[in-house]
Amino acid sequence: MFYVVSIAIMLTMALALVRAFLGPSVYDRVLSVNVFGTKTTLLLAVIAFLYGRPDFLDLALAYAMINFIGILAVLKFFQVRSNQQQKNQLPGDDLNDNRD
Amino acid sequence: MTTVIDILSWVLLLAGSIFVFIGGIGTLRFPTFYTRLHAASLTDGIGTILILGGLVLQAGWTLAAFKLLAILVFLLLTGPTAAYALANAADMSGMKPEENEVSEVEK
Amino acid sequence: MVTLFAVFLLTLLVLTAIAVVQTKNLFVAVMLMGIFSLLMATVFFILDAADVALTEAAVGAGISTMLFLATLALTGEHEKPSKKGPWISGLVVAITSLILIDATFEQPYLGDPMAPVQQHVAPWYLEMTPELMDFPNVVTAVLASFRGYDTLGEVFVVLTACIGVLFILSAGPGAPNPKSPRIPTAPSVGLRHHLIPRVVGKLLIPFIVLFGLYVQFHGEYSPGGGFQAGAIIAAGMILYALLEGEKQALKVLPQSVLIGMVVGGAMLYGMVGVVGMLMGGNFLDYSVLSSNPVSGQQIGILIIEIGVGLAVCGALLAIFHAFAARRSVG
């Protein structure tokens, strides 16, 4: 049963990864990182049971925390970036037009 | 009794995986950013509850169950917050749901 | 089956790495590096290397992403197109990968009991850890006691790296470059307008720090130790700085305290070794710290892990604040 769950989660990770590759906006990529982080947390929890070593759940807990801080750091980055652009009246919005 | 709990936890785990997978498909297939965010964050919530709930049933009354509950509380607090923060950041940058819908669906 | 999982995740890892190299937008590259780190950590976990997985999660996915973003806030977001053709670097990469692929044929299989790594000192470590230290996490035993010299070296590397980064970042802005005018920024105010992240974040900070302390002091029994704990606590403090602004965070933990933590942590580690010598043992031989060699080992490991945690936490925070200060000086 744990195998089924892990496979489902890993397929979801793959889907989120494809979304991260495709973009198109930077927010989509941040979203996929977020999805990816949550799925990693779940996957670790499931695999800890698969291995029969529940003390490894500490790692899943750490992942949940770190992922959240990462997303807030990105948010802060956007804020700093938009402050910079307001000050400089830079033409165009760098964050929306990225097409690699 | 153990069988009942096992079956219950399997049902939860299976339902959770289905939700998680549907969320993944939604994240990939939906046309605009806001719809994708919607797909990802909502299924994240329910999938997390179901999968971790199923694992708690497997763990029984142990330290592991407590840790799983801590992870659950943590994810339930942070997931919606991250989704809100992301939607807010996108909105502030001038990405409006309506205009994007038209422009991106056509692509 | 689990090996198949690892192969699947490694495939995703390679795809992510290619995408990181491909993209010209550096912000996207940073995001993909975050995914790369998460994948790497999962693979470590599947291969049963829980301590490394924890380090990778805390440092790779958390702190590195933040430092990358801090760098991006100082520089531009788009990669400069390189003028030289990709031929030379492509050739070097091709030759290197051919050599590496050739080398993999000589590698022992995963988990092969006859592999050199299983034959050398590893069995001795596994056998002696319960006897000498009486706790289950062999990784901590190897890291802190058996190979204490190496870890001492690592702590001093952290100290040196921290000093180097601070020197570079605290240098004056220099002559303004006409091509890329420096961008003045608003003073750091934190995420003041975002009520929900602030409330949730501040609610979680104590738990993050508590979890960091758990990782620190439970490192002998479960995955973790000074490095991971230092990174997690630093992440918690960085969260505070993100929410309330760097100035407020510096009021709580001034830069001088952070430097003191780095230096003090490294010194604490070294002092344990010196005290061991004064008490009649060898440098970093903890057995003499107490009348009972086993509890002496445990005390020694506990103290040096605290030193490692202090040094790592202080170094990461000092570097983070140096980036932030550079941004607001502009």
Side-chain angles (χ1 to χ4, degrees):
Chain A
M1 196 62 211
F2 293 136
Y3 286 113
V4 178
V5 185
S6 329
I7 291 170
I9 295 175
M10 282 200 295
L11 286 179
T12 314
M13 284 164 92
L15 293 175
L17 195 63
V18 175
R19 178 44 72 197
F21 292 161
L22 291 179
S25 74
V26 283
Y27 301 105
D28 285 299
R29 317 218 188 218
V30 182
L31 173 66
S32 8
V33 175
N34 190 16
V35 170
F36 214 89
T38 333
K39 295 297 152 341
T40 314
T41 313
L42 289 179
L43 183 63
L44 286 199
V46 174
I47 290 182
F49 274 84
L50 197 61
Y51 278 6
R53 297 173 74 168
D55 49 324
F56 282 6
L57 284 172
D58 294 357
L59 275 104
L61 198 53
Y63 281 42
M65 292 171 179
I66 294 295
N67 193 31
F68 177 63
I69 299 175
I71 296 296
L72 283 194
V74 171
L75 181 66
K76 171 84 181 219
F77 173 74
F78 285 147
Q79 193 178 319
V80 169
R81 197 24 77 87
S82 72
N83 279 349
Q84 287 174 354
Q85 279 167 358
Q86 270 169 13
K87 286 248 167 166
N88 288 271
Q89 306 287 324
L90 289 182
D93 190 355
D94 257 12
L95 292 176
N96 278 327
D97 64 356
N98 85 86
R99 279 292 138 79
D100 293 344
Chain B
M1 193 60 203
T2 348
T3 333
V4 177
I5 289 182
D6 261 3
I7 290 174
L8 194 60
S9 95
W10 288 345
V11 169
L12 286 181
L13 284 173
L14 199 62
S17 347
I18 291 170
F19 271 110
V20 161
F21 190 61
I22 290 174
I25 295 177
T27 317
L28 183 62
R29 296 278 300 159
F30 273 2
T32 68
F33 168 70
Y34 289 102
T35 50
R36 286 193 280 263
L37 180 65
H38 164 83
S41 63
L42 293 189
T43 53
D44 252 16
I46 187 75
T48 309
I49 295 174
L50 290 173
I51 289 182
L52 291 182
L55 290 179
V56 167
L57 287 184
Q58 286 283 329
W61 284 109
T62 52
L63 183 65
F66 174 75
K67 280 182 189 167
L68 283 170
L69 285 179
I71 297 171
L72 182 61
V73 169
F74 216 94
L75 283 180
L76 286 186
L77 275 175
T78 56
T81 312
Y84 158 79
L86 203 52
N88 192 34
D91 186 48
M92 296 287 246
S93 81
M95 188 195 246
K96 291 286 173 267
E98 299 84 7
E99 39 187 334
N100 272 336
E101 217 143 12
V102 180
S103 63
E104 286 197 30
V105 169
E106 284 169 356
K107 254 184 284 178
Chain C
M1 192 68 184
V2 176
T3 319
L4 278 183
F5 288 0
V7 170
F8 180 75
L9 291 174
L10 282 172
T11 315
L12 293 187
L13 194 73
V14 172
L15 291 176
T16 316
I18 293 173
V20 169
V21 178
Q22 274 284 318
T23 181
K24 289 278 178 272
N25 185 319
L26 294 177
F27 178 80
V28 174
V30 171
M31 288 295 102
L32 290 175
M33 280 307 288
I35 292 183
F36 184 89
S37 237
L38 286 170
L39 275 169
M40 199 73 225
T42 318
V43 174
F44 283 144
F45 182 77
I46 286 180
L47 296 180
D48 228 355
D51 284 81
V52 194
L54 193 52
T55 317
E56 179 69 33
V59 177
I63 306 274
S64 312
T65 309
M66 281 171 225
L67 291 183
F68 281 144
L69 287 177
T71 318
L72 276 190
L74 292 176
T75 63
E77 198 167 301
H78 289 279
E79 193 179 326
K80 272 188 194 153
S82 143
K83 293 219 177 63
K84 287 177 197 155
W87 297 112
I88 298 175
S89 45
L91 195 67
V92 172
V93 169
I95 292 173
T96 316
S97 34
L98 277 181
I99 293 172
L100 287 177
I101 289 170
D102 182 51
T104 55
F105 293 119
E106 314 226 328
Q107 290 280 328
Y109 290 106
L110 179 67
D112 181 7
M114 297 312 285
V117 68
Q118 320 281 17
Q119 301 283 319
H120 189 47
V121 288
W124 189 82
Y125 288 154
L126 290 172
E127 231 169 78
M128 296 308 276
T129 301
E131 197 175 309
L132 289 178
M133 284 126 200
D134 195 26
F135 56 69
N137 190 349
V138 184
V139 179
T140 305
V142 173
L143 200 80
S145 182
F146 291 131
R147 306 212 61 100
Y149 275 59
D150 299 5
T151 312
L152 180 65
E154 282 172 39
V155 171
F156 276 93
V157 166
V158 168
L159 174 69
T160 320
C162 178
I163 293 171
V165 171
L166 291 186
F167 260 121
I168 292 173
L169 285 178
S170 60
N177 187 345
K179 270 186 193 160
S180 59
R182 291 210 54 81
I183 303 164
T185 51
S188 69
V189 286
L191 297 167
R192 288 213 179 282
H193 305 296
H194 299 275
L195 190 60
I196 299 175
R198 276 188 69 204
V199 171
V200 175
K202 280 168 94 172
L203 186 70
L204 294 179
I205 288 173
F207 294 103
I208 294 176
V209 175
L210 183 68
F211 179 71
L213 291 176
Y214 163 76
V215 170
Q216 168 88 51
F217 291 109
H218 209 251
E220 289 99 348
Y221 298 96
S222 61
F227 279 101
Q228 294 91 337
I232 290 173
I233 294 176
M237 293 312 294
I238 288 177
L239 177 59
Y240 184 74
L242 291 173
L243 296 172
E244 291 292 321
E246 283 87 9
K247 262 194 197 132
Q248 183 65 28
L250 277 177
K251 262 185 212 156
V252 180
L253 274 178
Q255 193 79 333
S256 54
V257 173
L258 296 176
I259 305 289
M261 279 165 73
V262 185
V263 178
M267 294 303 283
L268 185 63
Y269 198 147
M271 286 313 286
V272 173
V274 174
V275 168
M277 280 165 82
L278 290 178
M279 292 174 78
N282 291 322
F283 187 63
L284 289 178
D285 176 10
Y286 315 128
S287 308
V288 293
L289 291 178
S290 165
S291 52
N292 180 359
V294 172
S295 58
Q297 286 281 353
Q298 290 183 348
I299 291 170
I301 289 173
L302 194 69
I303 296 175
I304 66 123
E305 289 278 14
I306 291 174
V308 172
L310 280 177
V312 170
C313 182
L316 291 175
L317 281 175
I319 292 173
F320 176 80
H321 281 304
F323 270 108
R326 176 106 190 174
R327 192 166 67 232
S328 53
V329 167

